Amino acid sequence: MALDAHRAPHPRGALTTDQGVAVDDTDNSLHLGERGPTLLADFQLREKLTRFDHERIPERVVHARGAGAYGFFEPYESLAEYTCADFLQEPGRRTPVFVRFSTVQGPRGSADTVRDVRGFATKFYTRHGNYDLVGNNMPVFFIQDAAKFPDFVHAVKPEPPNEIPTGASAHDTFWDFCSLQPESTHMLMWVMSDRAIPRSYRMMQGFGVHTFRLVNAEGRGTFVKFHWRPKLGVACQVWDEAQLAAGRDPDFHRRDLWEAIASGAYPEWELGVQLIPEEHEFAFPFDLLDPTKLVPEELVPVRPVGRMVLDRNPQNFFAETEQVAFHTANIVPGIDFTNDPLLQGRNFSYLDTQLLRLGGPNFAQLPVNRPLTEVRTNHRDGQGQQLIQPGTSYSPNSVGGGCPFTMGGGRLAEGVFEHYQERVDGQAIRRRSASFADHYSQAAMFWHSMADWEQEHITAAFAFELGHVGDRAVRRRMVGNLVRVDAELAAEVARRIGEPVPEQEAAAPAPEVPRISPALSLAALGGSGISTRSVAVLACDGVDGAQLSAGRDWLAAQDAAVAVLAPHGGEVSDRAGDGVPVDRALSATASVLHDAVLLPDGTGALAEDPDAVRFVAEALRHGKPIAVLGSGRELARAAGLADPQDTPGVAVPAPDGQADADFWRHVTHLIEQHRFPQR
């Protein structure tokens, strides 16, 4: 073959740089001391991240598939005691934002409902410049040091020989990497939970992941963890439901966000912070700089400080959602970094990515990235330059109109950025702090905090994923890691994938983290009300029109989205001979696109319709609320619901058969709970 001369052999021996220099350590960045900042002198890290950032064009290497919207943030109170950040100073003053949600692994053409981490990135257009809070829907990550980020992404991406699988982690290379990197164990517990398949972006938490630092006007620092909590509560899909949704509507999450905003049902989140005085940096049984660890809310409560509302859709997906550029190093006065080695590497990598993806250094001039405050720089030229710059481009100068000046020398004016001052010293070394060495305690805490049904879903997810791994050594090694989390979990996963049950090793004394953190369970994260919940009302000729109308009107008054579904489009005739408009034919939708089902009297005839029976059977299997009235019992029975009266999550009227206000209040309460997994 003509290409054979260009095929590289499998490498043998020690890794080298592109210049052929042997590398001594591929797992750790060059730090100033074990817990100090990452050094620019680390040419190996810069080469590795640069090559990784530039390996694909034009879509993002990660977070390629996403959806975005505009809105505003307003604080509840002033946080001037802790930070001089402009957007956290004045209660009620609104700061414009743009938010982009995304999946991590798959390309732009992949489905929304895959099992994956979700990005939750927020750009604040503050009066002192743009601030980007670039987070995820999980509070921890797979790795501790940015030097491992290219390795992690290469492992989770589709495998090189066949570009399979798309938007999925159930394959050998991902689990090989994780089994060899036990620091990923805590994050794996989150990804194997239902958190990895959210019901919608609007019902998804967000986290800043890293420990950041707030700085007040006097220069005093406070460690901070950022949390976004959805007003609608946290809701997720189950695995079977997510797979069916991907087939029925691969744009399910994009469409949900767009249609909610377009209809005026603006999604809202509350910003919360965990504030930790700097003198308490070493007060925890884990390292605050370790991005594979969270701070349990039982140790540091989350303090609500403001709300964010998304109220405007983009007008052009490419110009706005696709070209928006987020960067962890886009900070403003009052917010600064810590020496978290993953964050330090992100601060290099994100800018480097944008230089390639958006064609050069002037991407900040694109409308969606442009600050609202005036920009004054000495930057000139470059690809994508949109401005005709006057004057000189060096500093200091006294000709050509002069140049912008810096604000140093004495106390700085409001809105001028000054780095937080801290003492750092130590040797330049590639070694991770011993305080990062515990990889299992918080993974175990997460597991023990789950409800029984959540533990079953996690167990099934591990079994599904590892069941797709062909290399038995990888499977056994991964199950061996799970023993350190919980012996029963490991034994059950091993049984389901046909591997021997590993022996539980005598573990070293674990740090004293809480055994259970109730705030981690989905059971504790419900919302109030049923606003925007999608309720499917099944109908056919002969349906009780008055009952259907009563249910539809009641649910609509609670701000639920109600859709009448029937065997065909157009209209059906109710038992009084009146026409009932049909929103969609059953053959063109599915129960996985709705949150609850109402079967009015008169729908018993649908027991002979396979689309209707499948619709109800899927809703029943996925634990969704179902209201059954009159002959709707016949359809429910055909779908496998033998006893509606005593089935969790199923509402039936009182013995007299009347659907009164108490009945509809009960239906509302069931929908509010979202799902009944015990079914």
Side-chain angles (χ1 to χ4, degrees):
M1 295 287 293
L3 295 177
D4 287 347
H6 301 277
R7 298 187 190 281
H10 286 288
R12 295 288 185 268
L15 283 174
T16 72
T17 68
D18 285 346
Q19 307 305 316
V21 178
V23 175
D24 66 331
D25 185 342
T26 64
D27 290 353
N28 297 286
S29 303
L30 186 65
H31 309 146
L32 188 61
E34 289 187 348
R35 298 180 75 254
T38 301
L39 300 179
L40 190 61
D42 192 351
F43 65 92
Q44 298 174 24
L45 174 69
R46 287 187 285 115
E47 178 186 272
K48 186 175 184 179
L49 291 178
T50 299
R51 290 299 301 267
F52 169 66
D53 293 339
H54 291 247
E55 66 188 24
R56 285 184 179 85
I57 57 172
E59 72 176 27
R60 292 166 169 87
V61 177
V62 290
H63 297 278
R65 180 174 181 81
Y70 294 94
F72 62 85
F73 171 80
E74 60 180 11
Y76 299 147
E77 58 180 317
S78 173
L79 287 185
E81 177 184 354
Y82 303 100
T83 178
C84 58
D86 170 65
F87 67 101
L88 293 172
Q89 296 302 297
E90 184 181 333
R93 179 163 59 80
R94 294 184 174 184
T95 297
V97 300
F98 184 86
V99 177
R100 186 176 185 271
F101 306 100
S102 56
T103 54
V104 173
Q105 196 260 26
R108 284 186 60 190
S110 55
D112 280 348
T113 58
V114 296
R115 180 181 295 282
D116 200 354
V117 187
R118 297 307 191 282
F120 192 133
T122 306
K123 185 179 292 291
F124 297 80
Y125 301 94
T126 86
R127 297 188 302 179
H128 295 160
N130 287 355
Y131 168 54
D132 291 350
L133 179 54
V134 193
N136 290 329
N137 71 325
M138 300 175 188
V140 293
F141 201 63
F142 292 94
I143 54 175
Q144 295 173 328
D145 193 300
K148 299 305 300 173
F149 194 74
D151 300 310
F152 159 69
V153 175
H154 290 159
V156 74
K157 281 286 187 177
E159 301 201 10
N162 53 18
E163 192 70 5
I164 295 173
T166 298
S169 55
H171 58 105
D172 284 36
T173 58
F174 172 71
W175 289 98
D176 179 48
F177 176 87
C178 290
S179 68
L180 294 168
Q181 293 285 141
E183 67 199 61
S184 67
T185 306
H186 186 197
M187 182 64 167
L188 285 174
M189 302 302 295
W190 284 81
V191 177
M192 293 302 106
S193 77
D194 290 350
R195 298 297 193 102
I197 39 179
R199 158 62 178 84
S200 75
Y201 294 136
R202 300 177 298 114
M203 303 171 190
M204 188 176 80
Q205 282 183 293
F207 302 90
V209 179
H210 305 286
T211 299
F212 291 90
R213 181 181 271 113
L214 299 180
V215 184
N216 68 9
E218 287 72 45
R220 177 169 60 86
T222 302
F223 292 117
V224 63
K225 291 275 194 179
F226 291 108
H227 297 248
W228 291 113
R229 288 184 170 174
K231 180 181 179 181
L232 295 174
V234 181
C236 298
Q237 295 180 308
V238 295
W239 178 233
D240 180 65
E241 181 185 12
Q243 290 179 297
L244 293 172
R248 287 287 186 169
D249 185 0
D251 301 304
F252 183 53
H253 288 159
R254 284 180 166 189
R255 192 185 312 279
D256 174 270
L257 179 66
W258 181 279
E259 291 182 348
I261 294 173
S263 70
Y266 302 140
E268 181 175 330
W269 289 261
E270 188 169 67
L271 179 64
V273 294
Q274 289 177 295
L275 299 173
I276 302 161
E278 292 209 328
E279 58 267 26
H280 295 170
E281 178 177 1
F282 301 103
F284 303 97
F286 49 87
D287 198 315
L288 276 178
L289 303 187
D290 182 351
T292 68
K293 303 297 187 295
L294 55 83
V295 178
E297 294 184 32
E298 292 71 28
L299 299 182
V300 181
V302 175
R303 174 178 173 175
V305 297
R307 71 179 188 124
M308 178 175 71
V309 178
L310 299 184
D311 58 5
R312 181 162 61 91
N313 282 317
Q315 291 183 316
N316 183 287
F317 184 91
F318 176 79
E320 298 165 283
T321 306
E322 186 62 17
Q323 289 196 127
V324 67
F326 294 95
H327 183 16
T328 53
N330 287 348
I331 56 176
V332 291
I335 297 177
D336 212 332
F337 313 121
T338 60
N339 293 330
D340 174 341
L342 179 60
L343 174 60
Q344 296 265 319
R346 291 177 77 191
N347 287 345
F348 168 81
S349 183
Y350 281 46
L351 175 60
D352 190 43
T353 295
Q354 310 303 351
L355 293 174
L356 174 76
R357 196 176 65 83
L358 296 175
N362 292 303
F363 60 84
Q365 295 179 16
L366 296 169
V368 71
N369 297 319
R370 194 176 299 159
L372 297 182
T373 188
E374 182 183 358
V375 175
R376 300 177 294 271
T377 74
N378 282 327
H379 303 157
R380 298 290 190 271
D381 307 333
Q383 186 172 345
Q385 177 59 256
Q386 301 175 43
L387 303 174
I388 301 174
Q389 301 276 8
T392 57
S393 60
Y394 61 90
S395 178
N397 78 74
S398 62
V399 300
C403 63
F405 57 91
T406 56
M407 297 292 294
R411 185 175 178 83
L412 299 183
E414 179 187 0
V416 179
F417 187 88
E418 181 182 23
H419 281 284
Y420 178 77
Q421 297 181 18
E422 63 174 329
R423 178 184 174 86
V424 291
D425 55 63
Q427 295 178 313
I429 57 175
R430 293 186 186 276
R431 188 167 67 233
R432 207 165 298 184
S433 172
S435 57
F436 280 41
D438 169 40
H439 304 316
Y440 300 104
S441 295
Q442 289 207 355
M445 177 184 69
F446 183 83
W447 170 256
H448 293 304
S449 302
M450 297 294 101
D452 291 346
W453 55 271
E454 290 177 293
Q455 290 186 343
E456 167 54 30
H457 291 177
I458 293 171
T459 303
F462 272 114
F464 175 88
E465 298 266 325
L466 292 173
H468 284 75
V469 173
D471 190 321
R472 295 195 66 180
V474 172
R475 291 156 59 174
R476 292 181 178 182
R477 191 162 58 237
M478 192 62 235
V479 173
N481 286 351
L482 292 180
V483 170
R484 307 288 295 276
V485 177
D486 184 81
E488 293 183 5
L489 166 65
E492 180 60 19
V493 171
R495 185 190 69 79
R496 295 190 189 190
I497 64 174
E499 295 294 347
V501 177
E503 295 183 5
Q504 186 173 11
E505 301 177 1
E512 295 181 1
V513 299
R515 174 179 168 79
I516 294 176
S517 176
L520 298 178
S521 173
L522 289 173
L525 297 171
S528 59
I530 62 172
S531 175
T532 74
R533 298 284 185 173
S534 178
V535 182
V537 181
L538 270 58
C540 61
D541 290 335
V543 68
D544 186 330
Q547 198 177 74
L548 184 152
S549 295
R552 181 180 56 197
D553 293 347
W554 175 280
L555 295 169
Q558 313 303 311
D559 293 324
V562 184
V564 176
L565 312 179
H568 55 79
E571 289 186 346
V572 295
S573 297
D574 66 13
R575 60 181 50 171
D578 296 326
V580 177
V582 174
D583 294 301
R584 183 157 295 182
L586 279 164
S587 59
T589 186
S591 72
V592 294
L593 307 181
H594 303 275
D595 296 300
V597 182
L598 171 61
L599 307 180
D601 188 21
T603 53
L606 292 176
E608 303 299 323
D609 186 308
D611 289 330
V613 173
R614 180 171 60 249
F615 190 101
V616 179
E618 287 177 354
L620 179 66
R621 185 169 75 247
H622 297 149
K624 295 184 177 181
I626 301 175
V628 183
L629 299 103
S631 69
R633 285 174 177 262
E634 298 172 23
L635 173 56
R637 190 176 300 111
L641 184 57
D643 186 9
Q645 191 75 41
D646 296 319
T647 302
V650 177
V652 294
D656 61 5
Q658 297 300 313
D660 55 14
D662 286 340
F663 172 76
W664 294 118
R665 276 192 287 269
H666 179 54
V667 171
T668 300
H669 177 66
L670 295 182
I671 299 173
E672 196 173 44
Q673 296 180 66
H674 181 62
R675 196 183 304 280
F676 295 83
Q678 66 270 39
R679 203 159 70 202

